[in-house]
Amino acid sequence: MANQTFLHPDAIRTLFSTAMSQMYRTEVPQYGTLMELVGDVNAQALAEDTDLRGSLERHDELGRLSLERHGAIRLGTAEELFNIRRVFAVMGMVPVGYYDLSVAGVPVHATAFRPVGDASLRANPFRVFTSLLRLELIEDEALRAEAARILSARRIFTVRALELVARFEMEGGLSAEEAEEFVTEALETFRWHAKATVSLDTYDKLHAAHRLIADVVSFKGPHINHLTPRTLDIDAVQAGMPGRGIVPKAVIEGPPRRQCPILLRQTSFKALEEPIEFRNEGGEASRGSHTARFGEIEQRGVALTPKGRKLYDRLLAQVRTEVRIGQSGGEAGDYQSELSARFAAFPDEWQALQAQGLAYFRYSASERGLAARRRGGLPATVEGLIHAGFLRFDPITYEDFLPVSAAGIFQSNLGTDEQQNYAERSNRAEFERALGARVQDELALYAAAQEHSLAQALADLGNPHLAAVA
Ligand code: OOG
Ligand code: NI
């Protein structure tokens, strides 16, 4: 039976992301400092760049800016991944994209849970990069078995959280009151635990296999390991961090600074070393520490088409073979200049990106175009309409992640000595089996958004037949 009193999943997501941000601010005070810096830089960028402000305003992106963030968790078992999908579904977040990080020496594969659809993204684009540990990549058989045993014994969701998920699935929604309770219960899964579930000895063994394995296996739950606000000027935030007592990683991951931002640029501050209490089988406590939680910022640009992405991947690979950043970060200057030099080959004007089919855009009929429709005699091609100023296009923001950047973020927090090379063993089918669902294809989502906007714009101009020509 239809229930009129459900709280919209978009609203539940905002309740949740706000509560999560609050919790992380309390747990990691540096995150609060970073949020303040990002707020200041964004205000300055908007004051100085009226075009940017106009474009964000036109697409209702201004409101979401201060809400905008992503987080990341690392799960241990197929069952945990299966249930987290159900939890995120309550908040209108679905798995998009498959990321294999084993190539970069990180024994996980991942997806991003995020809203899809323009309205939901506008309401709140909160996303969670969710990795699943690949125990099969642990070589030591005894250790692998022990890790599996430890993981199978833990329960990362509260009983009530799963009850509310089941209720959501049965009824098709949650009331405002249930949603509040759900958010409180779901938050428990993401909380930090200063007490490990293993002995210091076991922790050390897991840590020796890979620091990430220790991070996933040793605790009661998959603590959120970072939250990332979106900035309009990542270079300014990177430069401003030391002034506020934060030490950033050596280089910004992703493309260089450009007139027309593409994809995603990210930087982070190093993970904190935090005190942990371990307990051995006899119940005796010992003190140690664990390093997992960090801060990150990101600047988002336009989503690239497969053609644009290919060019991006090729240029980035060239830079990375040319300059390798060592542990000291001393090569950061060379890396930046190489990056800028190589990316000179990537067109940096909106017109060129559109005309060459390198990026995705949202089309709309301009006022002049609507006036021209009334007069009649519009150009017969999309190019002609654009040229005449009747059809406008604005960049579609990239809402996903980049595997090479993600690996760089993982590694900056694992220490370069931890680089291990697992052979590429991408296993999307296995990931989807654990997830209990297919991951959506992010490129298909952007392409659909572009096509939909173009069809609408052409219809507004009175000539929907042109869509086929585009
Ligand atoms: C996730 C790293 C990936 C990003 O922004 O690329 C990520 C992790 O360290 O668990 O969050
Ligand atoms: Ni991140």
Side-chain angles (χ1 to χ4, degrees):
M1 214 180 298
N3 184 334
Q4 301 307 306
T5 59
F6 290 153
L7 191 63
H8 196 283
D10 290 349
I12 305 181
R13 183 168 65 260
T14 293
L15 283 179
F16 182 77
S17 80
T18 306
M20 178 95 103
S21 183
Q22 210 72 47
M23 179 175 87
Y24 203 60
R25 238 176 218 260
T26 318
E27 289 184 349
V28 182
Q30 268 184 310
Y31 169 66
T33 310
L34 192 62
M35 290 276 284
E36 281 164 24
L37 174 59
V38 167
D40 293 349
V41 166
N42 286 357
Q44 174 113 18
L46 287 172
E48 282 170 3
D49 189 340
T50 48
D51 281 354
L52 176 66
R53 176 180 265 281
S55 175
L56 290 172
E57 242 161 14
R58 216 165 26 248
H59 293 284
D60 249 352
E61 286 209 15
L62 217 46
R64 80 178 220 183
L65 190 62
S66 60
L67 276 178
E68 176 140 9
R69 55 186 80 92
H70 82 248
I73 53 169
R74 303 155 184 169
L75 303 173
T77 68
E79 190 188 340
E80 291 174 1
L81 183 67
F82 182 86
N83 281 325
I84 205 84
R85 175 178 57 78
R86 300 171 62 217
V87 166
F88 282 134
V90 175
M91 311 175 210
M93 296 159 78
V94 297
V96 179
Y98 172 76
Y99 302 88
D100 171 28
L101 294 166
S102 67
V103 273
V106 182
V108 304
H109 46 184
T111 190
F113 285 95
R114 69 164 176 91
V116 294
D118 290 351
S120 292
L121 285 164
R122 264 200 306 277
N124 183 340
F126 180 64
R127 3 177 148 62
V128 178
F129 191 90
T130 304
S131 309
L132 176 63
L133 182 63
R134 298 176 70 182
L135 281 181
E136 76 272 18
L137 297 181
I138 301 183
E139 268 166 33
D140 178 337
E141 229 167 274
L143 188 63
R144 194 188 322 141
E146 183 164 15
R149 185 186 56 76
I150 296 166
L151 284 170
S152 71
R154 76 176 185 180
R155 296 287 171 266
I156 67 169
F157 302 100
T158 67
V159 170
R160 187 63 185 146
L162 291 178
E163 273 171 17
L164 288 164
V165 167
R167 186 167 174 80
F168 173 88
E169 289 168 349
M170 286 236 302
E171 307 288 325
L174 294 181
S175 69
E177 205 178 313
E178 288 164 343
E180 293 270 0
E181 193 189 358
F182 169 77
V183 165
T184 307
E185 294 289 330
L187 207 57
E188 287 306 307
T189 299
F190 298 82
R191 194 179 287 290
W192 179 250
H193 298 281
K195 287 184 180 157
T197 55
V198 301
S199 68
L200 185 53
D201 184 48
T202 302
Y203 175 87
D204 286 340
K205 274 194 271 175
L206 294 166
H207 194 282
H210 198 296
R211 185 135 119 195
L212 200 93
I213 298 172
D215 183 54
V216 176
V217 178
S218 310
F219 299 92
K220 197 165 158 253
H223 39 255
I224 183 98
N225 65 52
H226 67 288
L227 275 184
T228 306
R230 173 178 173 190
T231 176
L232 298 172
D233 187 347
I234 198 167
D235 301 278
V237 179
Q238 172 95 343
M241 275 201 247
R244 305 220 186 178
I246 306 174
V247 184
K249 76 190 275 298
V251 295
I252 295 174
E253 299 288 345
R257 187 182 180 89
R258 297 162 43 92
Q259 289 301 320
C260 306
I262 54 173
L263 298 174
L264 176 62
R265 301 180 71 208
Q266 296 167 288
T267 182
S268 59
F269 65 75
K270 293 234 188 255
L272 316 169
E273 191 181 331
E274 302 179 84
I276 299 291
E277 185 184 305
F278 294 90
R279 237 165 235 287
N280 68 16
E281 267 93 87
E284 232 172 285
S286 49
R287 305 209 62 82
S289 67
H290 181 61
T291 309
R293 299 196 296 174
F294 61 98
E296 185 192 41
I297 45 166
E298 66 185 15
Q299 180 170 8
R300 291 191 173 263
V302 69
L304 298 184
T305 60
K307 182 182 172 194
R309 180 55 184 269
K310 220 166 159 180
L311 180 58
Y312 169 82
D313 285 338
R314 183 161 62 76
L315 297 175
L316 187 69
Q318 286 170 357
V319 179
R320 292 175 70 92
T321 32
E322 210 61 45
V323 186
R324 261 185 209 287
I325 309 269
Q327 193 146 21
S328 69
E331 301 78 3
D334 295 346
Y335 181 88
Q336 293 296 358
S337 47
E338 185 68 20
L339 192 66
S340 304
R342 293 283 184 177
F343 272 80
F346 206 116
D348 198 10
E349 279 170 5
W350 295 122
Q351 277 82 358
L353 292 168
Q354 189 274 342
Q356 294 177 36
L358 293 167
Y360 289 113
F361 294 93
R362 190 167 278 118
Y363 293 86
S364 54
S366 69
E367 285 303 321
R368 280 177 55 205
L370 295 174
R373 173 191 177 174
R374 291 189 284 274
R375 288 194 305 274
L378 291 180
T381 63
V382 167
E383 291 70 38
L385 288 167
I386 289 173
H387 197 72
F390 297 160
L391 188 60
R392 42 174 316 138
F393 56 93
D394 287 287
I396 296 181
T397 301
Y398 187 61
E399 307 287 356
D400 295 286
F401 294 86
L402 296 169
V404 174
S405 299
I409 300 283
F410 267 108
Q411 262 147 15
S412 85
N413 290 296
L414 295 171
T416 44
D417 54 323
E418 298 249 4
Q419 282 198 10
Q420 296 178 15
N421 290 313
Y422 300 105
E424 177 169 359
R425 285 188 26 210
S426 178
N427 200 341
R428 184 193 184 120
E430 187 189 288
F431 185 83
E432 289 181 331
R433 216 172 8 255
L435 186 66
R438 307 290 299 269
V439 299
Q440 294 203 38
D441 174 0
E442 65 276 23
L443 292 173
L445 293 171
Y446 298 119
Q450 171 169 284
E451 268 163 46
H452 180 78
S453 73
L454 184 58
Q456 182 62 52
L458 293 175
D460 291 346
L461 291 171
N463 200 344
H465 304 298
L466 276 180
V469 187

